[in-house]
Amino acid sequence: MDAAQLIQLALQASVALLIFSIGVNATFSDLTFLARRPGLLLRSLLAMNVVMPCIAIALYLIFDPPAPVPAVLVGLSLAPVPPILPKKELKAGGARSYVLGLLAAAALFAIVFVPVAAHLIAQLFGRVLNVSPVAVAKVVAISILVPILAGVCFRRIAPQAAQRLSLPLARLGGVLLLVASLPVLIGEWPAVKSLIGNFSVLVFALFVAAGLAVGHWLGGPDPEDRSVLALSTATRHPGVTIVMTQQMADMSSILAAVMLAFVVTAVVSAPYVIWRRRSIDAVRSREAAPR
């Protein structure tokens, strides 16, 4: 096993640990939350899978950024929620049931939706883009569905052990993710630098800002739901994006564009997370105050 394979294995293990640590604090009722709220489910899918692809195409047509930014931009607009997002959504004041329910629903929906939508968009622009449902299902299963279901099952079997292990596993996953990501970032940094300019950063920033605005608006009257949908609409699964776009350019340039998008997403969404956390804390304080 060479260094690249070790890094890939460490990244997969870190994500699995992070999702497992979330799963041990969840229930099957959390994962099926949106099945009991069809209106919120419909608005969530509309924001993530209809509005955002239209925005991605519009940004591509307006700014015409260099390859492979357009392909990655469209890929991000179709991908489901990334496995590292729930922690940020909970930090922003999101309700656990909606966070986990949307994570599961978006992952399952992506298995069917991503290949069909990618094919239609490729046909629209006269390109050949065949995305295998099996490839998407594999990424979604390894990074989201299997570890979160394993965590939920572990909680049911050994609730006390699950409670003790939740925080250490989350910390271990976070450290492992950081350690495994650094060599990739260093190795791909020249390719990332080459993409800066020619509207690439601006396009990704506008995509994230639009996602935050769309999700916040369609999240409904509940401030917690607004925070969750805004972040889910603006932040997408890098693994599924890579699966969709790897035919469009060499893997190094695809990784560079995905990494640039990840950094821009983190920077642009950070003020929103702080604002929502403070707003929701203020609402909860008012509700808890004696009358």
Side-chain angles (χ1 to χ4, degrees), residues 155-248:
R155 171 180 169 153
R156 294 196 68 174
I157 296 170
Q160 293 182 345
Q163 187 175 12
R164 289 197 304 271
L165 289 173
S166 174
L167 185 57
L169 287 176
R171 288 175 175 171
L172 177 60
V175 171
L176 187 58
L177 180 63
L178 179 62
V179 171
S181 299
L182 281 176
V184 180
L185 180 60
I186 294 170
E188 298 297 332
W189 180 244
V192 173
K193 279 179 61 178
S194 70
L195 291 174
I196 297 175
N198 297 317
F199 300 114
S200 296
V201 174
L202 176 62
V203 163
F204 284 134
L206 290 174
F207 177 81
V208 176
L212 292 172
V214 169
H216 187 86
W217 177 54
L218 288 175
D222 190 319
E224 295 178 348
D225 291 349
R226 284 186 162 190
S227 299
V228 173
L229 186 54
L231 290 168
S232 297
T233 305
T235 313
R236 303 306 184 85
H237 198 308
V240 176
T241 303
I242 291 170
V243 167
M244 279 187 283
T245 57
Q246 59 187 350
Q247 304 173 35
M248 308 296 290

Side-chain angles (χ1 to χ4, degrees), residues 26-50:
T27 64
F28 285 108
S29 179
D30 291 329
L31 300 185
T32 58
F33 174 78
L34 285 173
R36 301 185 297 275
R37 289 163 177 79
L40 183 56
L41 174 61
L42 182 61
R43 294 199 309 274
S44 301
L45 296 179
L46 175 65
M48 295 175 62
N49 301 121
V50 177

Side-chain angles (χ1 to χ4, degrees), residues 2-43:
D2 59 21
Q5 290 174 319
L6 282 173
I7 291 171
Q8 183 179 9
L9 183 61
L11 286 170
Q12 292 175 346
S14 65
V15 169
L17 282 172
L18 288 170
I19 292 297
F20 182 83
S21 69
I22 294 171
V24 297
N25 289 310
T27 64
F28 285 108
S29 179
D30 291 329
L31 300 185
T32 58
F33 174 78
L34 285 173
R36 301 185 297 275
R37 289 163 177 79
L40 183 56
L41 174 61
L42 182 61
R43 294 199 309 274

Side-chain angles (χ1 to χ4, degrees), residues 13-121:
S14 65
V15 169
L17 282 172
L18 288 170
I19 292 297
F20 182 83
S21 69
I22 294 171
V24 297
N25 289 310
T27 64
F28 285 108
S29 179
D30 291 329
L31 300 185
T32 58
F33 174 78
L34 285 173
R36 301 185 297 275
R37 289 163 177 79
L40 183 56
L41 174 61
L42 182 61
R43 294 199 309 274
S44 301
L45 296 179
L46 175 65
M48 295 175 62
N49 301 121
V50 177
V51 178
M52 291 312 292
C54 294
I55 289 174
I57 292 171
L59 290 172
Y60 160 59
L61 294 175
I62 293 170
F63 293 99
D64 191 23
V69 172
V72 170
L73 188 67
V74 172
L76 288 170
S77 73
L78 301 178
V81 179
I84 60 173
L85 185 62
K87 184 177 180 181
K88 180 186 286 189
E89 292 176 326
L90 293 171
K91 185 178 179 181
R96 180 174 296 276
S97 292
Y98 184 29
V99 169
L100 299 178
L102 184 56
L103 179 71
L108 290 172
F109 185 70
I111 295 173
V112 176
F113 173 77
V114 167
V116 174
H119 176 74
L120 292 175
I121 291 176

